[in-house]
Amino acid sequence: RKEVEQDPGPFNVPEGATVAFNCTYSNSASQSFFWYRQDCRKEPKLLMSVYSSGNEDGRFTAQLNRASQYISLLIRDSKLSDSATYLCVVNWGFSGGTSYGKLTFGQGTILTVHP
Amino acid sequence: GAVVSQHPSWVICKSGTSVKIECRSLDFQATTMFWYRQFPKQSLMLMATSNEGSKATYEQGVEKDKFLINHASLTLSTLTVTSAHPEDSSFYICSARADRYTEAFFGQGTRLTVV
């Protein structure tokens, strides 16, 4: 089983649609969670962190379910500029008191928003 | 967000030569830096994690003698691809973070082509 698993899509939606992405992770010791977006041939950029209580940033809502080891991202009122690959990222691997910990990426979900 | 600068953004080299890629955190001290490789239409694959002042930890299947990582200061890490071959051609991306709980910020990536 992959450490972080996402539905690769692609998701093709019209402008204004609501779209949801799901992500599962295998390591129950995972500590923090993020959604990044990556545009074609560019580096990933942080979209938002994911908190246990759920959090919202404008049109974007992230949810975390630790019991089910599941993370979601909801995008409302999709814009053309939302077209990108969305990466689910999980942080785990702490070792005692060291600062070691690694970010593990899902394979990404491709979103295309069309007019 | 924080700024991570990666240099060069692209490089073409002859087979058998070595290439050094630099990753700098410009406005924060990065206790941990990560190096990733990404092939076309695939997700980021973690190559190694380095903490300032200590040896890098390599992921399984990544040759540490081929991909030399140095993290000599809190703001600079380098990746040297030694004796490069065409199959090493890829998009290499670094990321840096201040501590183990926070998000990582990415450099712009380096597109390496070995001919």
Side-chain angles (χ1 to χ4, degrees):
Chain A
R1 184 185 172 186
K2 291 182 181 176
E3 293 174 345
V4 180
E5 203 147 1
Q6 291 181 251
D7 180 349
F11 285 64
N12 293 295
V13 303
E15 275 186 288
T18 295
V19 60
F21 304 140
N22 302 320
C23 171
T24 56
Y25 59 95
S26 61
N27 191 326
S28 59
S30 299
Q31 293 290 334
S32 45
F33 311 88
F34 310 95
W35 283 100
Y36 282 75
R37 69 169 278 170
Q38 186 177 23
D39 293 295
C40 189
R41 299 173 74 85
K42 299 276 188 163
E43 76 278 15
K45 293 192 176 177
L46 179 69
L47 180 64
M48 58 197 304
S49 302
V50 186
Y51 303 118
S52 296
S53 54
N55 49 301
E56 187 175 308
D57 182 3
R59 298 181 293 109
F60 300 87
T61 301
Q63 297 279 352
L64 167 64
N65 184 322
R66 285 188 184 271
S68 302
Q69 295 179 200
Y70 170 94
I71 307 158
S72 66
L73 176 68
L74 183 76
I75 305 176
R76 291 181 299 278
D77 189 23
S78 300
K79 311 290 185 191
L80 296 177
S81 57
D82 293 334
S83 298
T85 297
Y86 288 83
L87 300 163
C88 173
V89 182
V90 174
N91 189 21
W92 66 280
F94 303 147
S95 175
T98 71
S99 64
Y100 177 61
K102 66 179 185 180
L103 297 176
T104 303
F105 284 75
Q107 68 269 49
T109 298
I110 299 170
L111 172 66
T112 302
V113 181
H114 57 81
Chain B
V3 179
V4 176
S5 176
Q6 188 172 338
H7 178 81
S9 55
W10 60 271
V11 58
I12 301 173
C13 71
K14 289 185 177 180
S15 188
T17 60
S18 295
V19 175
K20 180 186 278 189
I21 303 169
E22 290 189 350
C23 181
R24 293 180 185 273
S25 56
L26 299 184
D27 53 359
F28 68 101
Q29 292 187 323
T31 56
T32 306
M33 287 188 172
F34 304 92
W35 286 96
Y36 295 85
R37 181 166 55 181
Q38 186 176 37
F39 292 106
K41 297 188 178 181
Q42 294 186 25
S43 188
L44 284 79
M45 296 301 297
L46 180 65
M47 299 175 68
T49 303
S50 72
N51 292 313
E52 183 265 338
S54 58
K55 289 184 179 179
T57 301
Y58 290 80
E59 294 299 297
Q60 193 172 10
V62 179
E63 299 174 58
K64 61 181 180 181
D65 294 330
K66 180 170 180 64
F67 299 99
L68 301 178
I69 292 172
N70 183 281
H71 190 166
S73 76
L74 283 170
T75 59
L76 173 65
S77 177
T78 60
L79 167 67
T80 301
V81 183
T82 62
S83 187
H85 291 286
E87 57 265 31
D88 298 325
S89 299
S90 187
F91 189 48
Y92 292 85
I93 311 177
C94 72
S95 70
R97 65 179 183 188
D99 64 63
R100 63 184 184 181
Y101 296 106
T102 59
E103 66 271 30
F105 296 94
F106 285 80
Q108 304 93 321
T110 298
R111 200 159 298 281
L112 170 64
T113 303
V114 184
V115 297

